[in-house]
Amino acid sequence: DSGVTQTPKHLITATGQRVTLRCSPRSGDLSVYWYQQSLDQGLQFLIQYYNGEERAKGNILERFSAQQFPDLHSELNLSSLELGDSALYFCASSVGAGGLQETQYFGPGTRLLVL
Amino acid sequence: KNEVEQSPQNLTAQEGEFITINCSYSVGISALHWLQQHPGGGIVSLFMLSSGKKKHGRLIATINIQEKHSSLHITASHPRDSAVYICAVIQGAQKLVFGQGTRLTINP
């Protein structure tokens, strides 16, 4: 158990809908990262937040947004969902501001199925 | 051509064998991660390297920044090492690019 929690574990929704994925980092970790893993594109880095501020941005679509709250939990919002958004979404956390070069601890993932 | 290439894509070996998984990249990087993804889907960070060599238990990771190459070695492999191993390279402060993964199966 990495100490990173993600909810929900599974999510089934329809095209055009909006969902919110939630992540709680390990106690004391200030950085949160979001990743998407799909069958055709593999793992992709979406975005990183450090202590509430956006720190690094990867291949995040404009239909997706994220934020990190004062209690350091983070949410990833996916809107206008398409079939191709079906994937595993991982959250990870790390201790500080070292960014992408820090060791990250991964949550169990949220499996999203868009029908 | 992908920026990050792993080889082999699939590897099957017998318990006890020495395993090598390779990661080559075509861009300048500041560091590289090796990750392990279990059959159930969970991901564990194994190493973060910017130079030289790191060892943790039976796992050894090396990187040669000039040659744009990293290797992950497993000594005395065990069926519980069966997993997908993924390398990811860090370019600058904002870009993280993943390899396609190497699926390792260790038979008893």
Side-chain angles (χ1 to χ4, degrees):
Chain A
D1 183 359
S2 67
V4 178
T5 60
Q6 288 187 248
T7 56
K9 282 189 179 178
H10 303 277
L11 197 47
I12 302 174
T13 189
T15 55
Q17 294 298 304
R18 174 189 165 96
V19 297
T20 297
L21 312 184
R22 183 186 168 106
C23 170
S24 292
R26 291 187 324 157
S27 176
D29 283 359
L30 297 179
S31 278
V32 170
Y33 310 77
W34 285 99
Y35 296 91
Q36 180 194 58
Q37 186 176 37
S38 61
L39 281 175
D40 55 345
Q41 299 216 0
L43 262 172
Q44 290 195 90
F45 166 62
L46 297 180
I47 198 162
Q48 178 204 355
Y49 277 81
Y50 168 71
N51 205 19
E53 300 288 328
E54 183 183 304
R55 180 69 184 249
K57 201 167 187 175
N59 301 329
I60 190 164
L61 299 173
E62 284 194 14
R63 299 184 286 108
F64 296 0
S65 65
Q67 55 183 325
Q68 185 179 28
F69 294 87
D71 68 352
L72 301 176
H73 91 273
S74 178
E75 292 180 357
L76 179 68
N77 299 296
L78 315 177
S79 61
S80 303
L81 284 166
E82 302 174 359
L83 295 178
D85 298 327
S86 296
L88 255 177
Y89 291 84
F90 288 100
C91 164
S93 71
S94 71
V95 171
L100 297 175
Q101 295 203 27
E102 289 197 330
T103 296
Q104 296 176 32
Y105 299 86
F106 285 78
T110 293
R111 190 174 295 276
L112 173 66
L113 180 59
V114 182
L115 299 176
Chain B
K1 191 180 189 312
N2 293 334
E3 290 176 294
V4 182
E5 294 277 353
Q6 287 186 235
S7 63
Q9 284 195 314
N10 294 283
L11 178 56
T12 300
Q14 292 299 120
E15 183 173 355
E17 287 189 37
F18 181 82
I19 303 298
T20 296
I21 298 170
N22 297 298
C23 176
S24 296
Y25 47 91
S26 57
V27 295
I29 70 168
S30 53
L32 177 149
H33 287 276
W34 279 103
L35 308 174
Q36 179 193 52
Q37 186 165 27
H38 297 289
I43 297 176
V44 174
S45 176
L46 298 175
F47 296 103
M48 200 286 295
L49 291 162
S50 55
S51 65
K53 177 177 172 177
K54 285 190 177 180
K55 184 174 189 291
H56 181 69
R58 294 180 296 105
L59 300 178
I60 303 164
T62 63
I63 189 168
N64 186 318
I65 293 282
Q66 288 74 26
E67 292 188 4
K68 295 186 166 57
H69 182 267
S70 176
S71 293
L72 177 69
H73 305 285
I74 305 175
T75 62
S77 59
H78 190 277
R80 65 174 174 267
D81 298 325
S82 298
V84 176
Y85 293 84
I86 303 167
C87 74
V89 301
I90 304 163
Q91 296 174 247
Q94 300 243 346
K95 194 168 180 187
L96 182 63
V97 181
F98 290 87
Q100 78 277 26
T102 294
R103 185 174 299 276
L104 174 66
T105 303
I106 304 294
N107 293 318

Coordinates of all heavy atoms in Angstrom, one line a residue, chain A residues 35-39 42-44 87-90 106-109 111, chain B residues 6 21 34-46 72 80-87 98-104:
Chain A
Y35 N -1.9 10.7 -14.3 CA -1.5 10.0 -15.4 C -2.7 9.3 -16.1 O -3.6 8.9 -15.3 CB -0.5 8.9 -15.1 CG 0.8 9.4 -14.6 CD1 1.0 9.6 -13.2 CD2 1.9 9.8 -15.4 CE1 2.2 10.1 -12.7 CE2 3.1 10.3 -14.9 CZ 3.2 10.4 -13.6 OH 4.4 10.9 -13.1
Q36 N -2.6 9.1 -17.4 CA -3.6 8.3 -18.1 C -2.9 7.1 -18.7 O -1.9 7.2 -19.3 CB -4.3 9.1 -19.2 CG -5.3 8.4 -20.0 CD -5.7 9.2 -21.2 OE1 -4.8 9.4 -22.1 NE2 -7.0 9.5 -21.4
Q37 N -3.5 5.9 -18.6 CA -3.0 4.7 -19.2 C -4.1 4.1 -20.1 O -5.1 3.5 -19.5 CB -2.5 3.7 -18.2 CG -1.7 2.5 -18.9 CD -1.1 1.6 -17.9 OE1 -1.7 1.3 -16.8 NE2 0.1 1.0 -18.2
S38 N -3.9 4.1 -21.4 CA -4.9 3.5 -22.3 C -4.2 2.4 -23.0 O -2.9 2.4 -23.1 CB -5.5 4.5 -23.2 OG -4.4 5.1 -24.0
L39 N -5.0 1.5 -23.6 CA -4.4 0.4 -24.3 C -3.6 0.8 -25.5 O -2.5 0.3 -25.8 CB -5.5 -0.6 -24.8 CG -6.1 -1.5 -23.7 CD1 -7.2 -2.3 -24.2 CD2 -5.0 -2.4 -23.1
G42 N -0.6 3.8 -24.1 CA 0.3 3.5 -22.9 C 0.1 4.6 -21.8 O -0.9 5.2 -21.8
L43 N 1.1 4.7 -21.0 CA 1.1 5.7 -19.9 C 1.4 7.1 -20.5 O 2.4 7.2 -21.2 CB 2.1 5.3 -18.9 CG 1.7 4.6 -17.6 CD1 2.9 4.2 -16.8 CD2 0.7 5.5 -16.8
Q44 N 0.6 8.1 -20.0 CA 0.9 9.4 -20.4 C 0.8 10.3 -19.2 O -0.1 10.2 -18.4 CB -0.1 9.9 -21.4 CG 0.0 9.3 -22.8 CD -0.8 10.1 -23.8 OE1 -0.2 11.1 -24.4 NE2 -2.0 9.8 -24.0
A87 N -9.9 4.6 -19.9 CA -8.5 4.3 -19.6 C -8.5 4.1 -18.1 O -9.4 4.3 -17.3 CB -7.7 5.5 -20.0
L88 N -7.3 3.8 -17.6 CA -6.9 3.8 -16.2 C -6.3 5.1 -15.9 O -5.4 5.6 -16.6 CB -5.9 2.7 -15.9 CG -6.3 1.4 -15.2 CD1 -5.1 0.5 -15.1 CD2 -6.9 1.7 -13.8
Y89 N -6.8 5.8 -14.9 CA -6.2 7.1 -14.5 C -5.5 6.9 -13.1 O -6.2 6.5 -12.1 CB -7.3 8.1 -14.4 CG -7.8 8.5 -15.8 CD1 -8.8 7.7 -16.4 CD2 -7.3 9.6 -16.5 CE1 -9.3 8.0 -17.6 CE2 -7.8 9.9 -17.7 CZ -8.7 9.1 -18.3 OH -9.2 9.4 -19.6
F90 N -4.2 7.2 -13.1 CA -3.4 7.0 -11.9 C -3.1 8.4 -11.3 O -2.8 9.4 -12.1 CB -2.1 6.3 -12.2 CG -2.2 4.9 -12.5 CD1 -2.2 4.4 -13.8 CD2 -2.4 4.0 -11.4 CE1 -2.3 3.0 -14.0 CE2 -2.5 2.6 -11.7 CZ -2.4 2.1 -13.0
F106 N 2.5 5.7 -6.3 CA 1.3 5.7 -7.1 C 0.1 5.1 -6.4 O 0.2 4.2 -5.6 CB 1.5 4.8 -8.4 CG 2.4 5.4 -9.4 CD1 3.7 5.5 -9.3 CD2 1.8 5.9 -10.6 CE1 4.5 6.1 -10.2 CE2 2.6 6.6 -11.5 CZ 3.9 6.6 -11.4
G107 N -1.1 5.7 -6.7 CA -2.3 5.2 -6.2 C -2.8 4.0 -7.0 O -2.1 3.6 -8.0
P108 N -3.9 3.3 -6.6 CA -4.3 2.1 -7.3 C -5.0 2.3 -8.6 O -5.2 1.4 -9.4 CB -5.3 1.5 -6.3 CG -5.8 2.6 -5.5 CD -4.6 3.6 -5.4
G109 N -5.3 3.6 -8.9 CA -5.9 3.9 -10.2 C -7.5 3.9 -10.1 O -8.1 3.3 -9.3
R111 N -10.5 3.1 -12.9 CA -10.7 2.6 -14.2 C -12.0 3.3 -14.7 O -13.1 3.1 -14.2 CB -10.9 1.1 -14.2 CG -10.9 0.5 -15.6 CD -10.9 -1.1 -15.5 NE -9.7 -1.6 -15.0 CZ -8.6 -1.8 -15.7 NH1 -8.5 -1.5 -17.0 NH2 -7.5 -2.3 -15.1
Chain B
Q6 N 11.9 0.6 -25.7 CA 12.3 -0.5 -24.7 C 12.5 -1.8 -25.5 O 11.8 -2.1 -26.4 CB 11.3 -0.7 -23.6 CG 11.3 0.4 -22.6 CD 10.3 0.1 -21.5 OE1 9.4 0.9 -21.2 NE2 10.5 -1.0 -20.8
I21 N 16.7 -5.6 -19.1 CA 15.7 -4.9 -19.9 C 16.3 -3.6 -20.3 O 17.0 -2.9 -19.4 CB 14.4 -4.6 -19.1 CG1 13.7 -6.0 -18.8 CG2 13.4 -3.7 -19.9 CD1 12.6 -5.9 -17.8
W34 N 12.5 4.1 -13.6 CA 12.1 2.7 -13.9 C 10.9 2.4 -13.0 O 11.0 2.7 -11.8 CB 13.2 1.7 -13.7 CG 14.2 1.6 -14.8 CD1 15.4 2.1 -14.8 CD2 14.0 0.9 -16.0 NE1 16.0 1.8 -16.0 CE2 15.2 1.1 -16.8 CE3 12.9 0.2 -16.6 CZ2 15.3 0.5 -18.1 CZ3 13.1 -0.4 -17.9 CH2 14.3 -0.2 -18.6
L35 N 9.8 1.9 -13.6 CA 8.6 1.6 -12.9 C 8.3 0.1 -13.1 O 8.6 -0.5 -14.2 CB 7.4 2.5 -13.4 CG 7.6 4.0 -13.5 CD1 6.4 4.6 -14.2 CD2 7.8 4.5 -12.1
Q36 N 7.6 -0.4 -12.2 CA 7.1 -1.8 -12.3 C 5.6 -1.8 -12.2 O 5.0 -1.2 -11.2 CB 7.7 -2.6 -11.1 CG 7.2 -4.1 -11.1 CD 7.6 -4.8 -9.8 OE1 7.3 -4.3 -8.7 NE2 8.3 -5.9 -9.9
Q37 N 4.9 -2.4 -13.1 CA 3.4 -2.5 -13.1 C 3.0 -3.9 -12.9 O 3.3 -4.8 -13.7 CB 2.8 -1.9 -14.3 CG 1.2 -1.8 -14.2 CD 0.6 -0.9 -15.2 OE1 1.1 -0.7 -16.3 NE2 -0.6 -0.4 -14.8
H38 N 2.4 -4.2 -11.8 CA 2.0 -5.6 -11.4 C 0.9 -6.0 -12.3 O 0.1 -5.2 -12.8 CB 1.6 -5.6 -9.9 CG 2.8 -5.3 -9.0 ND1 3.8 -6.2 -8.8 CD2 3.0 -4.2 -8.3 CE1 4.7 -5.6 -8.0 NE2 4.2 -4.5 -7.6
P39 N 0.7 -7.4 -12.4 CA -0.5 -7.9 -13.2 C -1.8 -7.3 -12.8 O -2.7 -7.1 -13.6 CB -0.4 -9.4 -12.9 CG 1.0 -9.7 -12.6 CD 1.5 -8.4 -11.9
G40 N -2.0 -6.9 -11.5 CA -3.2 -6.3 -11.1 C -3.4 -4.9 -11.4 O -4.4 -4.3 -11.3
G41 N -2.3 -4.3 -12.0 CA -2.4 -2.9 -12.5 C -1.6 -1.9 -11.6 O -1.3 -0.8 -12.1
G42 N -1.3 -2.2 -10.4 CA -0.6 -1.3 -9.5 C 0.8 -0.9 -10.0 O 1.5 -1.8 -10.6
I43 N 1.2 0.3 -9.8 CA 2.5 0.8 -10.3 C 3.4 1.1 -9.1 O 3.0 1.8 -8.1 CB 2.4 2.0 -11.2 CG1 1.6 1.7 -12.4 CG2 3.7 2.6 -11.6 CD1 1.3 2.9 -13.3
V44 N 4.7 0.7 -9.2 CA 5.6 1.0 -8.1 C 6.9 1.6 -8.8 O 7.3 1.1 -9.8 CB 6.1 -0.3 -7.4 CG1 7.2 0.0 -6.4 CG2 4.9 -0.9 -6.7
S45 N 7.3 2.7 -8.2 CA 8.6 3.3 -8.7 C 9.7 2.5 -8.2 O 9.9 2.3 -7.0 CB 8.6 4.8 -8.2 OG 9.8 5.3 -8.6
L46 N 10.6 2.0 -9.1 CA 11.8 1.3 -8.7 C 13.0 2.1 -8.5 O 13.7 2.0 -7.5 CB 12.1 0.2 -9.8 CG 11.0 -0.8 -10.0 CD1 11.4 -1.8 -11.2 CD2 10.7 -1.7 -8.8
L72 N 17.9 -2.1 -16.9 CA 17.4 -2.6 -15.6 C 17.7 -4.1 -15.6 O 17.4 -4.9 -16.5 CB 15.9 -2.4 -15.5 CG 15.2 -3.0 -14.3 CD1 15.7 -2.2 -13.0 CD2 13.7 -3.0 -14.4
R80 N 7.7 -13.9 -8.8 CA 7.0 -12.7 -8.3 C 7.6 -11.5 -9.0 O 7.0 -10.4 -8.9 CB 7.1 -12.5 -6.8 CG 8.5 -12.4 -6.3 CD 8.6 -12.1 -4.8 NE 10.0 -12.0 -4.3 CZ 10.6 -13.0 -3.8 NH1 10.0 -14.2 -3.7 NH2 11.8 -12.9 -3.4
D81 N 8.7 -11.6 -9.8 CA 9.2 -10.5 -10.6 C 8.4 -10.3 -11.9 O 8.6 -9.3 -12.6 CB 10.6 -10.7 -11.0 CG 11.5 -10.8 -9.8 OD1 11.3 -10.1 -8.8 OD2 12.5 -11.6 -9.8
S82 N 7.5 -11.2 -12.2 CA 6.7 -11.1 -13.4 C 5.8 -9.9 -13.3 O 5.0 -9.7 -12.4 CB 5.8 -12.4 -13.6 OG 6.5 -13.5 -13.7
A83 N 6.0 -9.0 -14.3 CA 5.3 -7.7 -14.3 C 5.7 -7.0 -15.6 O 6.5 -7.5 -16.4 CB 5.8 -6.9 -13.1
V84 N 5.1 -5.8 -15.8 CA 5.5 -5.0 -16.9 C 6.5 -3.9 -16.3 O 6.2 -3.3 -15.3 CB 4.3 -4.3 -17.6 CG1 4.8 -3.3 -18.7 CG2 3.4 -5.3 -18.2
Y85 N 7.6 -3.8 -17.0 CA 8.6 -2.8 -16.5 C 8.7 -1.7 -17.5 O 8.8 -1.9 -18.7 CB 10.0 -3.5 -16.4 CG 10.0 -4.5 -15.3 CD1 9.5 -5.8 -15.5 CD2 10.4 -4.1 -14.0 CE1 9.5 -6.7 -14.4 CE2 10.4 -5.0 -12.9 CZ 9.9 -6.3 -13.2 OH 9.9 -7.2 -12.1
I86 N 8.6 -0.5 -17.0 CA 8.4 0.7 -17.8 C 9.5 1.7 -17.5 O 9.7 2.0 -16.3 CB 7.0 1.4 -17.6 CG1 5.9 0.4 -17.8 CG2 6.8 2.6 -18.5 CD1 4.5 0.8 -17.3
C87 N 10.1 2.3 -18.6 CA 11.1 3.4 -18.3 C 10.4 4.7 -18.8 O 9.5 4.7 -19.7 CB 12.4 3.2 -19.0 SG 12.5 3.4 -20.7
F98 N 7.1 8.2 -21.6 CA 7.2 6.8 -21.2 C 7.5 5.9 -22.4 O 7.1 6.1 -23.5 CB 5.8 6.3 -20.7 CG 5.5 6.9 -19.3 CD1 4.8 8.2 -19.3 CD2 5.8 6.3 -18.2 CE1 4.5 8.7 -18.1 CE2 5.5 6.8 -16.9 CZ 4.9 8.1 -16.9
G99 N 8.2 4.8 -22.1 CA 8.4 3.7 -23.0 C 7.1 2.9 -23.1 O 6.2 3.1 -22.3
Q100 N 7.1 2.0 -24.0 CA 5.9 1.1 -24.2 C 5.8 0.0 -23.2 O 4.8 -0.7 -23.1 CB 5.8 0.6 -25.6 CG 6.7 -0.6 -25.9 CD 8.2 -0.2 -26.3 OE1 8.7 0.8 -25.8 NE2 8.8 -1.0 -27.0
G101 N 6.9 -0.2 -22.4 CA 6.9 -1.3 -21.4 C 7.5 -2.6 -22.0 O 7.4 -2.9 -23.2
T102 N 8.0 -3.4 -21.0 CA 8.5 -4.7 -21.3 C 7.8 -5.7 -20.4 O 7.8 -5.5 -19.2 CB 10.0 -4.8 -21.0 OG1 10.8 -4.0 -22.0 CG2 10.5 -6.3 -21.1
R103 N 7.1 -6.6 -21.0 CA 6.3 -7.6 -20.2 C 7.3 -8.8 -19.9 O 7.7 -9.5 -20.8 CB 5.1 -8.1 -21.0 CG 4.2 -9.0 -20.2 CD 3.0 -9.4 -20.9 NE 2.2 -8.2 -21.2 CZ 1.3 -7.6 -20.4 NH1 1.1 -8.2 -19.2 NH2 0.6 -6.6 -20.7
L104 N 7.5 -9.0 -18.6 CA 8.4 -10.0 -18.1 C 7.6 -11.1 -17.5 O 6.8 -10.9 -16.6 CB 9.4 -9.5 -17.1 CG 10.4 -10.5 -16.4 CD1 11.3 -11.1 -17.5 CD2 11.2 -9.8 -15.3

